[in-house]
């Protein structure tokens, strides 16, 4: 009997050992990836620019899901739509975090802004406010007239300033977003104090989040060192960035409070939310940050997308011609398009989709982070792992797009349209952009209105020779073409008459309201 019990104990112990061994092996099974060095990991294998192109090469080497480390930070790269949907959408309760960035987050304060805030109550309150007051088609439709009117100013400026294309796009998009978010009417001369503030905050953000730029992101306890300690200069820079970040959030919000107290507030996301009922202190705190995100987050991305559109029209004149034929057929030549025309202009809608896909607006995606341990397809994903969703790789995946490097709006038309890029270019799961309706309608009205009156062509040098723009882009979180010149001219006598009538009817803009 004793020997039998002994055998049972041995067998039980062996089974436990096998179980523990299997559990440990499962937890230690990482996705495939390059071998790194001790301590620094794969530091020298991480690109400093055009990182989405580098990560895309991992798909052919390691598969849809790959892995690397840098100074102990674990990074998982997702290079297919299926992997992104599986992890970031279907398992959004686990993968809705953001990477911890001590400099940009705690020091500069972006950990309170929608883009970098950790998943929690503050985040959920912001999302709830955004959805209720701007996230539906009906809510966004209330601002269609604002979008149409601001685009008239854009057309008027481009008629006399074709070389100021990007500047004028930023003025217009900033004006639309600030009017929608805070009921604020910007200066028309491009020197508005709030628009300038947002521009500075945007540049500060890119500097603050640049990989490897701040040693405190690698050794977080450095944030506690006194300002006078040698090497703590980053704290002075952080304080400067933080002031701009606070100002871009508080100044427009305080403007709305002042306008409400004077009974002069225009309808806007912020004023509508404040008028809708008693908000808690927590909701008011969230409101000013989500309002800042609506214009701050949209300005650069929509400017990038519309600049890509202009570049594409110059590079692909046949696409421009087909779009204008559709506009003439549906609208005629005596008026500008409106939002009501959108459903009747499928080719224009296809151009907008192809702009987002061809030169993906946020090519590297916005990184997520795992908020708890997880097993995915046998791979162990540790809590805190950074998840890169490579949107460029998805947008140029031949499994979804025929001839993916070509600019072909027709791919979204007909009986078998290809994958709508709107399903992934605005993000995944609980981190999906809350301003999709605003972004798509703004880009549409700019595309349709500019095509209705202008012809875009190659720049001509002093000898009259055509100089085609280069299809080149700058590296950064948002896709922007390198500066290029093009001609922007009225495309017909009717278009010129429409432009002249428009310019004579546009009301004068007042100076800054601040």
């Amino acid at each position: 009997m004793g020997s039998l019990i002994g055998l049972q104990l041995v067998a039980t112990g062996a089974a436990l050992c096998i179980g523990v061994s299997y559990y440990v092996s499962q937890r230690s099974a990482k996705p495939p990836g390059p071998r790194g060095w001790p301590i620094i990991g794969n530091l020298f294998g991480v690109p400093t620019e055009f990182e989405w192109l580098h990560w895309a090469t991992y798909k052919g080497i390691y598969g849809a899901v790959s892995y690397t480390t840098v100074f102990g930070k674990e990074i998982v790269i997702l290079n297919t739509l299926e992997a992104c949907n599986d992890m970031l959408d279907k398992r959004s309760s686990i993968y809705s975090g953001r990477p911890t960035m001590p400099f940009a987050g705690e020091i500069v304060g972006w950990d309170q802004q929608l883009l970098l805030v950790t998943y929690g109550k503050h985040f959920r309150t912001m999302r709830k406010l955004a959805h209720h007051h701007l996230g539906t088609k009906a809510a966004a439709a209330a601002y269609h007239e604002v979008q149409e009117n601001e685009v008239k100013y854009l057309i008027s400026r481009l008629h006399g300033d074709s070389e100021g294309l990007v500047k004028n796009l930023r003025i217009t998009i900033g004006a639309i977003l600030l009017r929608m978010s805070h009921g604020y009417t910007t200066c028309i001369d491009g020197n508005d104090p709030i628009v300038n503030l947002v521009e500075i905050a945007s540049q500060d953000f890119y500097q603050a989040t640049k990989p490897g730029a701040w040693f405190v992101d690698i050794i977080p306890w450095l944030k506690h060192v006194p300002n006078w300690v040698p090497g703590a200069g980053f704290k002075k820079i952080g304080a400067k960035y933080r002031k701009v970040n606070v100002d871009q959030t508080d100044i427009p919000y305080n403007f709305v409070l002042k306008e409400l107290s004077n009974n002069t507030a225009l309808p806007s996301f912020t004023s509508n939310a404040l008028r809708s009922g008693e908000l808690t202190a927590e909701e008011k705190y969230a409101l000013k940050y989500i309002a800042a995100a609506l214009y701050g987050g949209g300005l650069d991305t929509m400017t990038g997308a519309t600049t890509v559109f202009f570049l594409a029209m110059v590079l692909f004149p046949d696409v421009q011609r087909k779009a204008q034929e559709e506009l003439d057929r549906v609208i005629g030549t005596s008026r500008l398009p409106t939002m009501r025309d959108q459903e009747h202009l499928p080719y224009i809608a296809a151009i907008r989709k192809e702009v987002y896909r061809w030169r993906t607006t946020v090519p590297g995606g916005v990184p997520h982070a795992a908020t708890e341990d997880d097993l995915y397809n046998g791979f162990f994903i540790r809590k805190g792992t950074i998840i890169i969703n490579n949107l460029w790789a998805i947008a140029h995946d031949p499994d979804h797009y025929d001839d993916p490097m070509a600019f072909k709006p027709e791919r979204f038309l007909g009986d078998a349209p290809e994958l709508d890029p709107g399903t992934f270019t605005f993000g995944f799961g609980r981190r999906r952009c809350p301003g999709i309706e605003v972004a798509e309608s703004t880009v549409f009205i700019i595309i349709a209105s500019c095509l209705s009156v202008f012809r875009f062509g190659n720049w001509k040098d002093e000898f009259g020779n055509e100089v085609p723009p280069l299809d080149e882009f700058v590296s950064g979180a948002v896709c922007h073409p390198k500066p290029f010149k093009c001609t922007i001219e009225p495309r017909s006598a009717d278009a010129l008459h429409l432009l002249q009538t428009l310019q004579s009817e546009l009301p004068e803009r007042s100076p800054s309201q601040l």
Side-chain angles (χ1 to χ4, degrees):
M1 178 67 72
S3 60
L4 180 60
I5 293 173
L7 286 171
Q8 288 176 331
L9 289 173
V10 169
T12 301
L16 284 172
C17 287
I18 292 171
V20 169
S21 175
Y22 175 77
Y23 177 73
V24 170
S25 69
Q26 285 294 95
R27 287 181 62 85
S28 61
K30 302 293 186 183
R35 294 183 63 181
W37 295 87
I39 302 176
I40 65 172
N42 193 39
L43 174 66
F44 301 115
V46 175
T48 57
E49 60 179 13
F50 299 107
E51 59 272 15
W52 54 90
L53 298 178
H54 175 78
W55 298 133
T57 64
Y58 278 31
K59 181 183 177 183
I61 303 171
Y62 306 113
V65 182
S66 51
Y67 170 87
T68 191
T69 63
V70 177
F71 280 113
K73 287 189 176 182
E74 298 181 273
I75 303 169
V76 166
I77 302 99
L78 308 180
N79 272 314
T80 66
L81 179 61
E82 292 72 20
C84 287
N85 281 334
D86 283 349
M87 293 181 69
L88 307 182
D89 199 4
K90 295 176 183 177
R91 301 189 187 199
S92 61
S93 61
I94 297 175
Y95 295 104
S96 292
R98 284 288 193 236
T100 301
M101 305 180 75
F103 184 76
E106 293 177 62
I107 294 174
V108 181
W110 281 90
D111 58 354
Q112 297 301 297
Q113 301 280 8
L114 183 68
L115 198 57
L116 290 189
V117 66
T118 187
Y119 184 78
K121 194 170 183 180
H122 180 49
F123 171 83
R124 291 192 296 271
T125 304
M126 285 193 285
R127 293 282 302 198
K128 179 182 176 181
L129 289 166
H131 176 75
H132 183 70
H133 295 285
L134 203 60
T136 64
K137 286 185 181 296
Y143 301 99
H144 283 176
E145 185 177 354
V146 171
Q147 293 164 303
E148 292 165 0
N149 286 338
E150 291 297 339
V151 170
K152 291 177 183 177
Y153 284 101
L154 170 65
I155 290 172
S156 177
R157 291 195 303 272
L158 288 179
H159 184 34
D161 184 20
S162 62
E163 293 190 52
L165 173 61
V166 177
K167 177 192 73 174
N168 285 312
L169 285 171
R170 295 190 82 89
I171 290 171
T172 295
I173 293 168
I176 290 171
L177 294 175
L178 278 166
R179 174 63 180 78
M180 294 172 71
S181 64
H182 294 86
Y184 177 84
T185 303
T186 61
C187 299
I188 203 63
D189 62 1
N191 192 32
D192 187 88
I194 291 186
V195 174
N196 291 344
L197 191 61
V198 176
E199 292 280 0
I200 296 170
S202 176
Q203 294 306 312
D204 289 352
F205 174 78
Y206 292 137
Q207 292 300 319
T209 56
K210 188 176 290 186
W214 310 100
F215 209 48
V216 67
D217 287 337
I218 300 170
I219 307 176
W221 61 260
L222 288 176
K223 66 190 176 187
H224 300 297
V225 302
N227 293 358
W228 53 265
V229 171
F234 69 90
K235 300 190 78 173
K236 183 178 180 180
I237 298 172
K240 176 186 173 185
Y241 288 0
R242 187 181 187 91
K243 183 181 186 309
V244 174
N245 188 20
V246 169
D247 285 348
Q248 71 144 352
T249 304
D250 288 352
I251 290 175
Y253 183 76
N254 291 335
F255 165 79
V256 179
L257 295 180
K258 179 182 176 182
E259 293 291 292
L260 283 171
S261 67
N262 293 334
N263 292 318
T264 54
L266 295 173
S268 70
F269 169 78
T270 305
S271 64
N272 290 347
L274 289 168
R275 284 168 169 156
S276 65
E278 287 296 323
L279 298 182
T280 65
E282 183 179 66
E283 289 171 330
K284 290 180 180 178
Y285 180 77
L287 177 61
K288 71 176 182 178
Y289 282 102
I290 188 60
L294 290 174
Y295 73 83
L299 178 59
D300 212 27
T301 52
M302 281 190 261
T303 301
T306 49
T307 308
V308 168
F309 156 72
F310 279 92
L311 175 64
M313 292 305 96
V314 179
L315 293 174
F316 308 106
D318 284 348
V319 173
Q320 181 181 170
R321 177 182 52 79
K322 291 177 184 178
Q324 290 170 337
E325 288 175 353
E326 180 182 71
L327 285 162
D328 291 347
R329 185 173 63 254
V330 174
I331 294 173
T333 60
S334 61
R335 69 174 178 89
L336 291 174
T338 69
M339 293 296 187
R340 293 187 298 275
D341 298 314
Q342 189 167 356
E343 61 182 296
H344 305 297
L345 297 168
Y347 195 75
I348 300 294
I351 289 176
R352 188 198 68 218
K353 292 177 183 179
E354 186 70 335
V355 162
Y356 277 111
R357 185 208 67 84
W358 179 61
R359 294 294 180 260
T360 320
T361 310
V362 185
V366 181
H368 291 228
T371 55
E372 59 183 80
D373 291 351
D374 186 37
L375 274 176
Y376 172 69
N377 283 358
F379 299 133
F380 174 59
I381 312 296
R382 193 187 310 275
K383 177 181 178 180
T385 297
I386 297 170
I387 313 296
I388 293 175
N389 45 113
N390 192 349
L391 302 186
W392 188 93
I394 298 170
H396 297 83
D397 189 336
D399 290 341
H400 296 297
Y401 300 106
D402 177 59
D403 194 8
M405 299 307 295
F407 187 88
K408 298 195 303 184
E410 292 82 2
R411 68 174 77 246
F412 302 113
L413 302 173
D415 296 331
E418 295 180 355
L419 176 69
D420 185 344
T423 60
F424 61 85
T425 53
F426 290 98
F428 298 94
R430 300 176 186 182
R431 287 288 181 173
R432 190 165 165 79
C433 173
I436 296 173
E437 297 293 340
V438 172
E440 292 195 333
S441 59
T442 299
V443 173
F444 161 79
I445 199 63
I446 290 175
I447 288 175
S449 298
C450 289
L451 280 171
S452 69
V453 294
F454 292 125
R455 179 183 295 110
F456 313 110
N458 292 325
W459 184 257
K460 294 181 180 179
D461 65 18
E462 56 184 321
F463 304 107
N465 300 313
E466 292 194 359
V467 183
L470 297 176
D471 181 11
E472 295 182 345
F473 291 76
V474 297
S475 180
V478 176
C479 180
H480 287 284
K482 286 186 177 179
F484 66 94
K485 292 182 177 181
C486 66
T487 60
I488 303 177
E489 300 171 337
R491 67 184 184 96
S492 67
D494 286 346
L496 178 59
H497 176 71
L498 186 58
L499 279 165
Q500 292 170 338
T501 303
L502 176 69
Q503 288 176 318
S504 67
E505 294 176 348
L506 281 175
E508 292 290 328
R509 297 286 280 268
S510 61
S512 170
Q513 295 174 273
L514 292 182

